[in-house]
Amino acid sequence: MKIPYYVILPSYFAYALGFIFGHLRDFVSFFRNHVDKPPKGYAPLCRDFEDFYTRRMYRRIQDCFNRPIASAPNTWIDVIERVSHDNVTLVRTKNTRRCINLGSYNYLGFAAQDEYCTPRVIECLEKFGASACASRVECGTSVLHEELERVIAKFVGKPAAMVYGMGYATNSTTLPALIGKGGLIISDMLNHSSIVAGARSSGAKVAVFQHNSPSHLEQVLRKSIAEGQPRTHRPWKKIVVVVEGIYSMEGEICRLREIVALTKRYKAYLYLDEAHSIGVIGKTGRGLCELQGIDTEDVSVMMGTFTKSFGSCGGYIAGSEDLVKYLRYVSPGHLYATAMSPPAVQQVLSALKVLMGEDGTDRGMKKLAAVRENSNFFREELQKMGCEVLGDEDSPIMPIMLYIPATIPAFSRECLARNVAVVSVGFPATPVFLGRARICISAAHTKEDLNQALKVIGEVCDICQLKYYPPPQLSWKEKARLKEKEKNL
Amino acid sequence: MATGMVMEMKETLVSLLDAPLADAVIFGIHIDGHLFLETLLVVVIAFLLLQKSYQPEKRPLTEQEIDQLCDEWTPEPLHPPITKEMELSPPVLESAAGPHTVVNGKDVINLSSANYLGLIGHPKIKEACNAALEKYGVGACGPRGFYGTIDVHMDLEAKIAQFMGTPDSILYSYGLATVSSVIPAFCKRGDLILADEGVNWGIQNGLFLSRSTVRYFKHNDMASLEALLEDVRQEDRRKKKVLNRRFIVVEAIYQNSGEMVPLDTVVRLKEKYLFRVLVDESNSIGVLGKTGRGLSEHFNIPVEKIDIITSAMGHSLASVGGFCTGSAKVVDHQRLSGAGYCFSAALPPFLASASITALELLEDNPVLLTRLRRNISFFRSKLATIPGVVVRGHALSPLIFLHLQRSGSFAEDSVILQQIVDKMLEEGVLLSASKRSLLDKCKLGAGIRIMVTASHTEAELLSVSSSLGNVIQSVVTAQS
């Protein structure tokens, strides 16, 4: 995206100033011996430059992150207020502030108590306990786990599936099992940290293609296959292309149709991470393949998590029966890690039943329609206001671009003062000059909640001057005409 | 006549060549005709040497050539063909994984759950989880940085710090991701790590992701560790390098063998050679020490001497997740650089409540520890009498390994051990044999992993050991 000069020059200036002052402070504290020195003969635990960003830049705005809450992560939360007595650490106070929650991943509204899910979860807790304290191959597999694997495979449209206890561990232990040395992983530039960790753990070579750009992916594929492995030029053992359904910092939907055409043509395998898109997009919430009308056979491995849309924890991998058998035999996340907690499994099962309408009501369809409607309404209103909002239509994630580093804490603090809890992110979660406030809409947000949030965001955007695309100014004739119309209505 | 003419021509040629320089003497050298030829030769040689050698033209591949290469290339299948040994069918439980559980409609004695204090299904834990589920729902719906930090998480971190006697602690949402995130947060390229050969996969993954130099010492062999440390010291003396971060990574009770690391020796070595130590106490929290505070309490070593302690909560604490504790600096640094902390959803609040209650129960009921210890020693003494198998693992470890006396490779042993496990399930005892991933670098042998809990009764353990004796005898004699 093209950032205007009047935005980027102040950003450079701000970072440079922060940098200079940070180093000045380090210099002074070195002389006043405030630096905590390691014991004699030991290297410091955190290297200077690793720590610099944390100490001198992040610490200034640390009250905008890690905000604790004292309630369920529902549409209204009780944000606990914190104070700092020494300008370094923050301590909790007894005060809480009731805010609208625009930060949690609660797309279908299953976050807190649910009339169908919660009684069943409590029943399950009574019967199976909170944990089996063993891995799936020891005594961690219960009838619930097997049922969930069947149900999620059917839901997603694949022959078989397996379930892990943590979404991050799903990616980081499956990628090493699928591909090893001599293979190539081509991953989107903005893929999640768990995919990066899994790709690095695998030992395969990793190449990157420009974000959501099938043309660049084709270039990378052609070049990689033609040149083979680096230095030896032997042909690659296999190539796996890794993409996400909805990108969590952009709100963009992946151009899967074109990428599937490419992987078919160049005989690469496709790994789709649907963490944010399962249960949200598609007519019945079955994810990206349903939305874009793609046969699930064309995607080799489908992965997703239960944290976002289903209000639980854990992840799944869906694929062919043989692939799932092989992964059960090799994947360390299955052989060594604690099995998913049975109440969490029950929560996903119940949420899926509601979504598929098998609980006897149409709440599932209503929730899907609500999240779509709410997202589109909110995005439209923000754009009308003049903010720069990213994300595709129907995507419940909408980042509002901030750019200037000072607006990152300003937006967050001003919104909190007006009882709206938002998430603002800067470096290193986003590129250095592309700071943004990321809004996540839920099916449980009511129209009143959204209108109130919009009012507050409008005020704060005026204070922080974030309306980069203000609506065109009307002439006095047009203004008069509008006034007439409103009077008649 | 002809020769005469040739001779005449030769004479004229020579005189012609000689003529201009006839009788010329430059710098004491008599200039002759052949000198002229020699200079000409030198000039020709110099000219040839200065010519560029022949190199074929560098042409990039054309689009058609790339198309052809892409068409010719055939990848391996995504996974190798499935063989019979790849088809694992673990037991499917129909109730909680307590000391007794229901498999295939039958009640069996369960010795394969790491529920060392028997807290699964405890009414206080159920009550706490119920309350948490009613208040917070199931998931935390976000990472810790973005409204996923719920007050129970902070309470649990404070409780762990108070229990272990450290300034602070940090919570992770999965046991496997804990140590894999902690090690790369503190060790980068250029740092040195000395790790035991038998460490579990989570630690191996952390070591690989850290990109540090890793050297392994023989499993639980302090002499080997000392030799390695001496080696490092010699290298330091030879090459003057920038001081890097150095760690010794061990587990309190090894997941792969049940051995206990002699922490007093490790601490002595660490102080002598100026290393830091990271101990994974997953199997020793709530097991070792007078009040269950782990390895440091067992050896009477102040907990400040251990730089980093990590643990999974899916063992004695009857929950899911993991934690890391140490000095305030250690914990604080991970809040921004622990990958499994920053980029993953927070632990579900009901599991955090379960852990808090488990810690409180452990503090209020030290009798659990005495019961566990009694069960371990009783069971070990009975298992030692079974012929055909060797009982491995430390005397105080609740994780007991049974290795075959006549052991072959890991794969061969696994087949026999799985037969024993299957037969034992028919007899009404749930056990499990070691399973190792193809990605795991550990080379230790296969065994039956028995996990003793504080809730088992002596009668049960006696009946299990006698069934085991019979089953092992029948399988081993069938083998030979």
Side-chain angles (χ1 to χ4, degrees):
Chain A
M1 53 189 84
K2 276 202 143 320
I3 309 170
Y5 270 113
Y6 66 86
V7 167
I8 196 137
L9 289 175
S11 307
Y12 270 112
F13 179 69
Y15 276 114
L17 210 61
F19 200 73
I20 293 170
F21 270 92
H23 277 298
L24 277 174
R25 278 177 189 249
D26 275 349
F27 191 66
V28 168
S29 52
F30 178 74
F31 273 106
R32 295 171 81 196
N33 276 328
H34 279 178
V35 180
D36 45 1
K37 292 207 181 79
K40 195 168 178 305
Y42 285 86
L45 198 58
C46 310
R47 287 190 199 148
D48 249 350
F49 52 90
E50 263 168 30
D51 220 22
F52 176 79
Y53 180 77
T54 314
R55 277 176 294 124
R56 297 304 174 198
M57 308 268 232
Y58 172 78
R59 275 260 154 77
R60 290 171 178 270
I61 60 174
Q62 64 176 345
D63 62 306
C64 302
F65 305 106
N66 291 303
R67 286 189 183 143
I69 64 178
S71 65
N74 208 355
T75 49
W76 282 85
I77 48 175
D78 292 323
V79 179
I80 299 176
E81 293 184 351
R82 298 180 289 172
V83 288
S84 178
H85 297 296
D86 55 356
N87 275 340
V88 177
T89 52
L90 286 163
V91 286
R92 309 195 253 182
T93 62
K94 296 241 177 348
N95 306 330
T96 59
R97 186 187 271 275
R98 194 130 183 95
C99 305
I100 300 176
N101 183 3
L102 292 176
S104 294
Y105 302 137
N106 178 23
Y107 304 138
L108 293 179
F110 282 116
Q113 279 251 26
D114 184 85
E115 57 197 27
Y116 183 81
C117 301
T118 313
R120 283 168 180 73
V121 169
I122 292 186
E123 213 181 285
C124 169
L125 174 71
E126 197 48 53
K127 191 170 173 209
F128 287 93
S131 166
C133 294
S135 71
R136 286 291 300 275
V137 290
E138 290 162 5
C139 69
T141 306
S142 69
V143 286
L144 286 175
H145 292 95
E146 296 213 315
E147 195 187 333
L148 178 59
E149 289 177 347
R150 273 196 305 269
V151 173
I152 195 74
K154 206 172 99 195
F155 183 71
V156 156
K158 278 283 195 184
M162 64 190 281
V163 154
Y164 291 78
M166 183 200 196
Y168 187 98
T170 313
N171 275 331
S172 64
T173 55
T174 304
L175 279 169
L178 283 179
I179 189 169
K181 219 155 171 230
L184 175 69
I185 297 180
I186 306 183
S187 130
D188 187 294
M189 201 165 77
L190 298 177
N191 267 343
H192 189 252
S193 163
S194 56
I195 297 177
V196 173
R200 283 189 39 214
S201 302
S202 67
K205 195 93 182 50
V206 181
V208 158
F209 69 95
Q210 275 167 23
H211 176 58
N212 224 4
S213 161
S215 55
H216 192 243
L217 173 60
E218 181 161 21
Q219 271 178 27
V220 173
L221 272 167
R222 287 172 71 83
K223 184 159 175 276
S224 310
I225 299 176
E227 289 182 2
Q229 298 189 32
R231 290 173 61 233
T232 56
H233 295 290
R234 285 200 197 116
W236 295 104
K237 290 204 180 138
K238 52 181 119 157
I239 298 185
V240 175
V241 176
V242 183
V243 288
E244 287 187 38
I246 295 185
Y247 290 91
S248 56
M249 281 296 162
E250 274 70 36
E252 261 177 55
I253 297 180
C254 173
R255 292 161 68 173
L256 193 63
R257 189 173 276 283
E258 295 150 75
I259 293 180
V260 160
L262 283 175
T263 50
K264 269 183 163 159
R265 178 159 163 226
Y266 292 99
K267 294 172 268 185
Y269 300 110
L270 186 56
Y271 183 105
L272 177 64
D273 176 341
E274 294 212 82
H276 289 270
S277 54
I278 189 74
V280 181
I281 55 180
K283 205 163 65 110
T284 55
R286 276 155 218 255
L288 196 51
C289 291
E290 188 184 24
L291 181 74
Q292 299 189 351
I294 297 170
D295 188 3
T296 53
E297 277 283 307
D298 295 334
V299 181
S300 325
V301 186
M302 295 175 76
M303 176 265 174
T305 63
F306 301 126
T307 333
K308 285 97 187 173
S309 313
F310 303 108
S312 178
C313 65
Y316 68 87
I317 293 267
S320 67
E321 289 220 20
D322 280 349
L323 173 69
V324 170
K325 270 198 198 136
Y326 177 70
L327 285 175
R328 279 193 225 272
Y329 178 67
V330 178
S331 167
H334 193 254
L335 295 175
Y336 303 134
T338 318
M340 191 166 158
S341 167
V345 176
Q346 182 60 46
Q347 165 75 16
V348 182
L349 275 170
S350 310
L352 276 170
K353 286 214 162 71
V354 172
L355 193 54
M356 296 195 285
E358 289 176 16
D359 65 327
T361 67
D362 63 347
R363 273 184 12 163
M365 281 296 119
K366 283 210 184 113
K367 279 180 193 277
L368 275 172
V371 71
R372 215 161 290 152
E373 249 177 64
N374 287 350
S375 317
N376 290 337
F377 168 71
F378 208 79
R379 184 177 276 113
E380 216 183 288
E381 290 297 315
L382 283 174
Q383 280 171 337
K384 265 197 228 158
M385 250 197 266
C387 299
E388 183 171 352
V389 185
L390 304 182
D392 292 337
E393 206 177 314
D394 287 353
S395 152
I397 301 177
M398 48 199 84
I400 303 176
M401 292 311 291
L402 301 175
Y403 299 121
I404 300 181
T407 49
I408 298 172
F411 192 87
S412 181
R413 288 173 189 156
E414 292 293 330
C415 280
L416 188 66
R418 293 167 175 75
N419 294 338
V420 171
V422 291
V423 159
S424 58
V425 272
F427 185 76
T430 61
V432 180
F433 297 109
L434 301 177
R436 61 200 71 179
R438 184 185 67 176
I439 311 262
C440 294
I441 297 292
S442 159
H445 279 128
T446 60
K447 251 315 178 354
E448 295 83 43
D449 295 336
L450 293 178
N451 281 326
Q452 188 176 342
L454 280 167
K455 192 159 132 301
V456 165
I457 291 181
E459 267 175 48
V460 176
C461 283
D462 278 329
I463 298 174
C464 301
Q465 305 197 353
L466 292 170
K467 296 190 173 165
Y468 293 118
Y469 299 108
Q473 293 296 330
L474 301 168
S475 68
W476 67 267
K477 261 198 214 157
E478 287 168 324
K479 278 195 198 151
R481 218 173 291 155
L482 262 178
K483 266 216 177 98
E484 279 293 320
K485 255 202 220 155
E486 275 172 26
K487 248 196 255 171
N488 293 341
L489 282 173
Chain B
M1 266 318 272
T3 39
M5 272 182 64
V6 170
M7 289 299 286
E8 239 184 68
M9 277 172 64
K10 177 178 168 269
E11 285 293 329
T12 13
L13 204 63
V14 168
S15 57
L16 263 174
L17 288 172
D18 268 342
L21 303 163
D23 296 325
V25 179
I26 305 173
F27 297 123
I29 305 169
H30 201 252
I31 304 291
D32 283 66
H34 62 83
L35 218 65
F36 176 73
L37 274 173
E38 278 159 17
T39 20
L40 194 64
L41 197 60
V42 169
V43 168
V44 168
I45 290 173
F47 176 70
L48 285 173
L49 278 175
L50 290 171
Q51 289 297 301
K52 264 196 250 176
S53 55
Y54 172 71
Q55 264 183 6
E57 248 181 71
K58 270 203 178 123
R59 288 174 309 161
L61 294 169
T62 63
E63 290 301 312
Q64 288 105 311
E65 283 169 334
I66 297 183
D67 279 333
Q68 199 182 14
L69 283 167
C70 293
D71 289 332
E72 280 172 9
W73 177 66
T74 30
E76 273 179 13
L78 189 56
H79 57 85
I82 303 292
T83 58
K84 199 167 140 286
E85 63 204 13
M86 287 190 191
E87 311 233 2
L88 295 176
S89 49
V92 179
L93 268 64
E94 292 159 22
S95 75
H100 277 261
T101 185
V102 177
V103 177
N104 285 333
K106 215 171 62 161
D107 183 275
V108 298
I109 301 175
N110 182 10
L111 284 167
S112 70
S113 162
N115 170 28
Y116 302 136
L117 297 173
L119 293 175
I120 291 182
H122 194 282
K124 281 223 171 103
I125 294 193
K126 274 197 203 164
E127 207 186 294
C129 288
N130 260 329
L133 284 169
E134 301 260 336
K135 186 171 180 201
Y136 302 110
V138 175
C141 295
R144 289 291 293 262
F146 305 148
Y147 305 104
T149 306
I150 302 184
D151 47 6
V152 283
H153 293 137
M154 302 176 80
D155 291 338
L156 177 56
E157 287 177 353
K159 180 90 195 143
I160 292 171
Q162 178 243 317
F163 180 73
M164 297 295 293
T166 50
D168 202 359
S169 73
I170 180 171
L171 207 58
Y172 284 87
S173 46
Y174 212 42
L176 193 69
T178 308
V179 74
S180 325
S181 307
V182 172
I183 296 180
F186 293 105
C187 305
K188 305 274 188 311
R189 204 187 284 271
D191 294 326
L192 176 66
I193 304 182
L194 303 180
D196 187 297
E197 285 184 327
V199 285
N200 62 44
W201 185 84
I203 297 180
Q204 290 171 27
N205 193 29
L207 295 174
F208 183 77
L209 286 174
S210 69
R211 295 203 246 230
S212 318
T213 323
V214 182
R215 296 172 71 175
Y216 292 95
F217 59 91
K218 293 211 193 67
H219 182 52
N220 220 16
D221 184 348
M222 292 295 112
S224 165
L225 171 60
E226 186 150 16
L228 212 58
L229 286 165
E230 263 307 318
D231 231 2
V232 170
R233 181 165 274 187
Q234 295 300 330
E235 249 181 70
D236 276 347
R237 288 211 184 103
R238 277 202 306 267
K239 308 183 206 171
K240 281 272 174 271
K241 278 196 286 213
V242 176
L243 188 59
N244 53 3
R245 291 174 288 197
R246 294 166 174 199
F247 276 87
I248 300 175
V249 173
V250 289
E251 289 182 52
I253 292 181
Y254 288 92
Q255 188 81 354
N256 286 325
S257 71
E259 300 286 344
M260 192 196 309
V261 71
L263 190 66
D264 45 359
T265 322
V266 171
V267 170
R268 181 178 55 82
L269 288 173
K270 135 190 152 141
E271 289 179 339
K272 180 173 169 198
Y273 290 92
L274 302 179
F275 270 63
R276 290 185 166 105
V277 69
L278 186 152
V279 184
D280 181 25
E281 294 222 45
S282 304
N283 287 311
S284 62
I285 299 272
V287 174
L288 296 179
K290 210 169 61 144
T291 55
R293 280 168 170 74
L295 201 62
S296 49
E297 194 184 25
H298 175 77
F299 280 101
N300 264 324
I301 295 174
V303 75
E304 297 80 47
K305 292 214 170 170
I306 308 183
D307 302 275
I308 304 179
I309 298 177
T310 64
S311 173
M313 298 196 296
H315 298 261
S316 325
L317 299 182
S319 176
V320 177
F323 67 83
C324 173
T325 182
S327 66
K329 188 98 205 273
V330 161
V331 170
D332 212 33
H333 181 71
Q334 286 174 61
R335 296 215 193 262
L336 268 191
S337 9
Y341 180 84
C342 301
F343 298 113
S344 167
L347 184 67
F350 77 96
L351 290 169
S353 297
S355 298
I356 296 177
T357 319
L359 281 170
E360 285 171 356
L361 283 170
L362 174 57
E363 279 180 330
D364 296 336
N365 303 302
V367 66
L368 292 168
L369 291 165
T370 22
R371 255 188 245 153
L372 177 61
R373 254 165 243 153
R374 214 185 41 217
N375 282 352
I376 296 172
S377 61
F378 177 76
F379 202 44
R380 283 187 75 98
S381 62
K382 292 285 167 258
L383 289 174
T385 61
I386 301 177
V389 285
V390 181
V391 180
R392 294 245 165 85
H394 194 268
L396 291 173
S397 156
L399 179 59
I400 304 175
F401 274 79
L402 279 182
H403 290 240
L404 292 172
Q405 198 139 43
R406 273 206 251 129
S407 98
S409 72
F410 188 90
E412 292 164 0
D413 281 0
S414 292
V415 172
I416 304 173
L417 293 167
Q418 190 59 42
Q419 282 174 8
I420 299 175
V421 165
D422 292 336
K423 281 218 161 82
M424 286 301 289
L425 188 57
E426 289 165 24
E427 301 282 321
V429 180
L430 183 55
L431 295 171
S432 59
S434 325
K435 298 272 183 316
R436 196 157 292 158
S437 165
L438 296 173
L439 307 174
D440 199 331
K441 290 203 274 239
C442 175
K443 297 274 177 288
L444 298 176
I448 298 183
R449 305 175 75 223
I450 302 182
M451 290 177 248
V452 182
T453 81
S455 303
H456 285 115
T457 62
E458 280 198 5
E460 286 171 349
L461 294 175
L462 201 56
S463 84
V464 168
S465 65
S466 63
S467 314
L468 251 180
N470 297 336
V471 167
I472 289 175
Q473 206 173 24
S474 68
V475 170
V476 167
T477 44
Q479 242 5 74
S480 52

